[in-house]
Amino acid sequence: MFRNSNNVLINGGTFTENNEHHEHHHAQSSEAMKRLLEASSLSALHNSGERFDPPKCHPNTRTAVLQELMDWFIGEVGWDNFVLWLYGPAGAGKSAIAQTFAELCVKKKRLLASFFFSRSDSRRNDAKALVATLAYQVTLNIPKSRKIIKAAIDKNPAIFQLDFQTQFQTLILDPLLRISGTGIFRSRKSFPGLIIIDGLDECQGTDVQNTILNTISNALQQRRPALPFRILIASRPEYHLTTSF
């Protein structure tokens, strides 16, 4: 379905007036960030305190797979393949690989955002908090996006109650496209350009899983090279996901 994808199998006065305006603007910004945080699921982050001692690869293990992932992400080969599917059965070590790869990319300042689904955690077993959680990380890793995303939340305070496509378009896609217009993604080769979604099959609803996959993949595919981002998705090889990929 996606041409540009790749798969990896693993087992004052004036002053006072201005000040008041500034305080009002600051209050708005703070309120927007507060709403963003409330809608997010911080337990889904790769470095969440609630995911204490998450599964990761032991030193000197899975080096071939990790090297292949790094070659795909920052190497010269395969730049057309912007979606990579890391799949395998339960217990194959997908989350450990995704976790370790996220940590490696953080060290290189290349990770844009991550979300680790978990079937057993009610705050990260559905898509309700996915966009907010990704958008929160975008505000941290691409500071130029912060004002744009806050403004979008102020403009539509109900954004977090809307469907996945609308949230993704409003809080991630549109802000990144506006920033792209400045040329930042063309001039800086090493910008944070990777999104990791682990355990997509643990998100409730196969239709929701497909919506997440299709929305993000199509958005990136249709807007290259303006948005030269890459996405790593790890999951079990469920039939509906296999068909999509």
Side-chain angles (χ1 to χ4, degrees):
M1 182 175 180
F2 302 117
R3 297 191 305 276
N4 300 325
S5 68
N6 203 9
N7 307 329
V8 172
L9 171 62
I10 61 163
N11 269 344
T14 302
F15 175 77
T16 306
E17 255 178 44
N18 289 342
N19 194 43
E20 286 173 353
H21 174 74
H22 174 75
E23 287 178 358
H24 175 68
H25 178 72
H26 180 72
Q28 270 194 320
S29 295
S30 298
E31 183 62 30
M33 184 57 75
K34 182 181 177 184
R35 287 204 298 271
L36 179 60
L37 279 168
E38 287 174 348
S40 299
S41 177
L42 302 185
S43 62
L45 303 184
H46 83 279
N47 58 350
S48 168
E50 294 184 39
R51 294 181 64 240
F52 176 73
D53 195 24
K56 62 180 77 173
C57 301
H58 293 293
N60 302 317
T61 64
R62 299 289 195 180
T63 51
V65 174
L66 289 167
Q67 188 58 54
E68 188 171 350
L69 291 179
M70 196 59 77
D71 288 345
W72 160 75
F73 179 47
I74 64 175
E76 297 300 318
V77 180
W79 266 101
D80 288 337
N81 301 321
F82 63 88
V83 179
L84 188 143
W85 184 30
L86 183 72
Y87 66 96
K94 300 179 298 297
S95 291
I97 292 171
Q99 176 70 33
T100 302
F101 190 54
E103 293 175 3
L104 289 171
C105 290
V106 166
K107 289 178 182 176
K108 297 176 181 291
K109 298 183 178 179
R110 300 298 301 273
L111 183 67
L112 178 60
S114 64
F115 194 101
F116 285 72
F117 281 104
S118 173
R119 192 174 281 109
S120 60
D121 187 338
S122 62
R123 288 166 298 179
R124 51 190 182 103
N125 65 1
D126 59 38
K128 292 175 184 174
L130 177 55
V131 172
T133 308
L134 297 178
Y136 169 67
Q137 294 170 82
V138 172
T139 67
L140 299 180
N141 295 316
I142 304 181
K144 284 181 180 291
S145 72
R146 202 166 300 163
K147 279 186 178 180
I148 303 172
I149 292 174
K150 286 177 179 178
I153 297 169
D154 284 330
K155 186 176 180 180
N156 187 355
I159 185 65
F160 301 114
Q161 278 70 55
L162 304 184
D163 60 52
F164 180 83
Q165 295 96 324
T166 303
Q167 288 190 47
F168 186 79
Q169 177 85 36
T170 304
L171 298 178
I172 296 179
L173 191 58
D174 287 348
L176 290 178
L177 283 170
R178 282 186 60 182
I179 296 167
S180 176
T182 67
I184 185 175
F185 302 138
R186 291 193 303 271
S187 60
R188 291 178 56 205
K189 197 173 181 181
S190 62
F191 64 90
L194 176 68
I195 298 172
I196 295 178
I197 297 178
D198 177 68
L200 180 59
D201 59 293
E202 299 196 35
C203 175
Q204 291 178 2
T206 57
D207 54 336
V208 178
Q209 295 170 25
N210 280 330
T211 295
I212 293 169
L213 177 59
N214 295 338
T215 300
I216 298 177
S217 298
N218 289 336
L220 293 181
Q221 188 171 34
Q222 293 166 9
R223 290 164 181 85
R224 302 186 80 78
L227 298 181
F229 295 94
R230 298 194 154 205
I231 178 166
L232 169 67
I233 296 178
S235 76
R236 298 181 192 182
E238 304 291 3
Y239 176 76
H240 60 285
L241 295 175
T242 302
T243 303
S244 289
F245 277 108

